[in-house]
Amino acid sequence: MEENNTAVDMQDNQSLDGQNSQENQPKKKRGGFTSKIGFVLAAAGSAVGLGNIWRFPYLAAKYGGGIFLLTYIILAVTFGFVLMIAEIALGRKTGMSAINAFKKLNKKWAFLGVLCAMIPIIILPYYSVIGGWVGKYFFTYVSGGGMSAAGDNFFNGFISSPWQPLLFFFIFVSVVFVVVLFGVEKGVEKVSKFLMPALVALTIGVTIYTLTMPGSAEGIKYYLLPDFKKFSVKTVLAALGQLFYSMSLAMGIMITYGSYMKKQDKIESSVHQIEVFDTGIALLSGLMIIPAAYTFSGGNPETLGQGPGLMFVALPKVFAKFGSVGGGILGALFFALVLFAALTSAISLMETVVSIVIDKFHLSRKKSSLIVYVGTLLLGIPSSLGFGVWSAVSVGGMTILDMFDFLSNSILMPIAALLTCVFIGYVVGCRNLTDEIERNGPFKFKKFFNVMIKYVCPICIAAILVTSILDAFGVFSI
Ligand code: PHE
């Protein structure tokens, strides 16, 4: 979610995008983060969202629990660290957003900016479908239906009905659109300063409760202890895609944020803080949801592996334990906070897409926002209907929503990350970026950074990608 409170002067720039302000409106001052903590909070704000609370737990449950967790943490401190440093340094060095940063350093690589720009365009519609589901749950709890939400068929009944999910999806996108159009981000940012800590506190509270529920020990073991027999290339691909998604990497967003960072602030330590924040919330959400899902399903692999529905199925059952009044209040509070996190993340996603449209087509902010709004609605409809009337449409066993999710997170983002490494390692040279990072103090992990960017990251990402594509085409199975 977005929290540029201290920080990005969007009003001045019309958008989060640097080029817009630099080329189209040369006289306007480019905004910037006023302090390091402002930068860290804003970047962490973009990173923390549904990815942490909804997506991480269901992937961890699906891909074997502890082994996914271990893989994720290893990737976060290696690939995640290096790529986030690289993107932020790239942004700060060029002072531009993705679509132009690559072009500025090398004209032939402009296409990479375009590739990065495509990713949020794919994510926003289906992100909003899930946002709509959260809205439905919030509404259900507020209107006193919390106990029914804990029923076995509530979730499936809801997502497979044709109109209801669409209605909530439309409302969600419309709210995001209005905020982006009128630019009230600043108000949202102020509020999020209070609501984000509230979400963390509530998550900790619910986690403590689920951990003390009878029978939760098995679930905790499943989540925390790696079972190496469950390890496969797919685990790595899923964890890598989740890493990019959760940290808002490989889609140009961190490049834009970096472009607003002050020259005297330290990049390396900022990245450590953002990582700890983002990974911490993901791990905590897993701890809240997976043992609960495990307990209620008796460890049934079908429930654990069900995918996008996990949070919606497991948590209402936990809340129901508090009775209809207590559980109702708890559920309403929890889904209100998740809804808020989802809305602010979607706002930052739409803001990014709108700025891309403004830059590419030189349209006004109003027209661009309208185009993005209608486009998001149209693109989101198939994802929503894919769980009901269009459930027969499936690509490789995936629902339409899963397919978009797979396309962006498991294909396009790894490709964008791979090309970014090649670009930095072999086209502009690591030196160019490490100089930017070393502007104000030593870069402790410089050697590690160089080796990772030039060799380890590109080779590993390429290997993972090729194996998974061969697998998808049935050449061999992993
Ligand atoms: N990182 C966000 C999440 O975890 C998703 C997101 C990506 C939000 C890009 C904004 C921009 O939910």
Side-chain angles (χ1 to χ4, degrees):
M1 47 163 290
E2 183 78 0
E3 208 182 290
N4 301 335
N5 43 331
T6 21
V8 180
D9 199 352
M10 287 197 212
Q11 250 62 350
D12 258 353
N13 284 325
Q14 294 286 300
S15 74
L16 252 177
D17 187 87
Q19 191 250 357
N20 181 39
S21 57
Q22 296 204 334
E23 285 180 16
N24 297 349
Q25 313 159 356
K27 287 205 190 71
K28 283 201 175 169
K29 177 177 121 270
R30 186 181 171 80
F33 293 102
T34 49
S35 63
K36 184 178 158 212
I37 187 69
F39 170 75
V40 170
L41 281 179
S46 162
V48 175
L50 284 177
N52 309 57
I53 308 162
W54 156 78
R55 199 171 186 275
F56 180 84
Y58 91 68
L59 284 181
K62 187 170 168 176
Y63 288 98
I67 191 67
F68 182 87
L69 188 69
L70 183 69
T71 312
Y72 185 85
I73 293 175
I74 293 174
L75 289 177
V77 296
T78 53
F79 287 50
F81 170 71
V82 165
L83 277 165
M84 188 176 281
I85 285 227
E87 288 201 14
I88 292 176
L90 203 61
R92 192 169 78 175
K93 184 175 175 61
T94 54
M96 289 178 172
S97 67
I99 212 159
N100 297 301
F102 293 106
K103 195 159 131 201
K104 177 170 177 182
L105 294 174
N106 188 316
K107 279 224 152 53
K108 283 195 194 129
W109 283 73
F111 76 92
L112 186 49
V114 177
L115 176 67
C116 284
M118 274 167 57
I119 297 168
I121 297 177
I122 296 174
I123 293 183
L124 177 61
Y126 85 79
Y127 198 89
S128 304
V129 170
I130 310 295
W133 294 359
V134 177
K136 159 77 181 178
Y137 272 70
F138 169 64
F139 183 76
T140 306
Y141 274 96
V142 167
S143 54
M147 289 316 247
S148 67
D152 281 341
N153 290 322
F154 183 84
F155 178 71
N156 281 332
F158 163 63
I159 57 165
S160 58
S161 71
W163 294 111
Q164 272 219 31
L166 275 185
L167 177 72
F168 282 97
F169 161 67
F170 272 87
I171 298 173
F172 185 89
V173 181
S174 304
V175 172
V176 175
F177 167 65
V178 170
V179 174
V180 170
L181 187 64
F182 292 107
V184 294
E185 294 95 340
K186 287 198 169 153
V188 174
E189 289 149 21
K190 283 213 179 85
V191 185
S192 54
K193 252 182 158 170
F194 301 100
L195 293 188
M196 276 330 269
L199 178 66
V200 175
L202 200 65
T203 306
I204 293 177
V206 177
T207 306
I208 292 174
Y209 178 76
T210 57
L211 294 187
T212 52
M213 261 175 356
S216 64
E218 281 305 304
I220 300 171
K221 264 196 222 150
Y222 179 77
Y223 179 52
L224 295 181
L225 295 182
D227 174 356
F228 290 92
K229 284 198 292 293
K230 291 189 177 138
F231 183 80
S232 78
V233 180
K234 276 187 181 152
T235 322
V236 187
L237 185 70
L240 196 67
Q242 170 61 16
L243 180 73
F244 296 147
Y245 185 90
S246 182
M247 292 190 182
S248 308
L249 291 174
M251 55 178 121
I253 291 194
M254 284 299 153
I255 300 183
T256 309
Y257 274 87
S259 73
Y260 287 102
M261 191 185 194
K262 265 195 183 168
K263 288 284 186 194
Q264 62 264 39
D265 286 342
K266 292 199 173 113
I267 295 183
E268 192 179 12
S269 59
S270 307
V271 169
H272 284 307
Q273 290 166 0
I274 301 166
E275 274 212 312
V276 167
F277 203 79
D278 187 69
T279 310
I281 295 193
L283 301 191
L284 200 61
S285 302
L287 204 53
M288 167 174 69
I289 292 170
I290 296 173
Y294 199 94
T295 310
F296 288 114
S297 69
N300 179 353
E302 222 167 86
T303 310
L304 288 171
Q306 66 165 296
L310 194 71
M311 172 178 97
F312 299 94
V313 171
L315 285 182
K317 291 193 194 290
V318 176
F319 299 145
K321 292 259 173 206
F322 289 85
S324 70
V325 177
I329 295 172
L330 207 57
L333 205 63
F334 181 81
F335 282 106
L337 293 172
V338 177
L339 181 61
F340 184 79
L343 273 172
T344 50
S345 278
I347 290 166
S348 95
L349 272 169
M350 191 183 273
E351 183 71 48
T352 308
V353 179
V354 167
S355 70
I356 292 166
V357 174
I358 293 177
D359 277 1
K360 270 277 140 206
F361 304 103
H362 303 288
L363 294 173
S364 72
R365 183 176 179 78
K366 228 188 205 157
K367 268 197 199 132
S368 309
S369 309
L370 203 65
I371 292 173
V372 173
Y373 174 54
V374 175
T376 305
L377 286 180
L378 293 178
L379 280 174
I381 291 172
S383 290
S384 183
L385 293 181
F387 292 96
V389 285
W390 287 0
S391 60
V393 184
S394 88
V395 185
M398 289 184 276
T399 61
I400 301 175
L401 188 144
D402 274 331
M403 190 198 71
F404 278 121
D405 187 87
F406 182 78
L407 176 68
S408 60
N409 300 328
S410 297
I411 302 203
L412 295 179
M413 285 185 190
I415 294 177
L418 169 69
L419 292 175
T420 307
C421 292
V422 173
F423 179 71
I424 295 169
Y426 301 95
V427 181
V428 288
C430 289
R431 258 300 286 281
N432 257 316
L433 286 199
T434 49
D435 283 354
E436 180 68 36
I437 299 160
E438 281 176 323
R439 263 173 182 276
N440 29 41
F443 178 14
K444 278 194 225 123
F445 286 92
K446 184 168 159 179
K447 277 214 180 98
F448 176 72
F449 176 85
N450 287 341
V451 173
M452 286 294 289
I453 288 278
K454 284 184 89 156
Y455 311 107
V456 183
C457 291
I459 293 172
C460 292
I461 299 175
I464 296 164
L465 257 172
V466 171
T467 347
S468 71
I469 290 171
L470 291 181
D471 174 61
F473 287 105
V475 178
F476 67 87
S477 142
I478 45 178

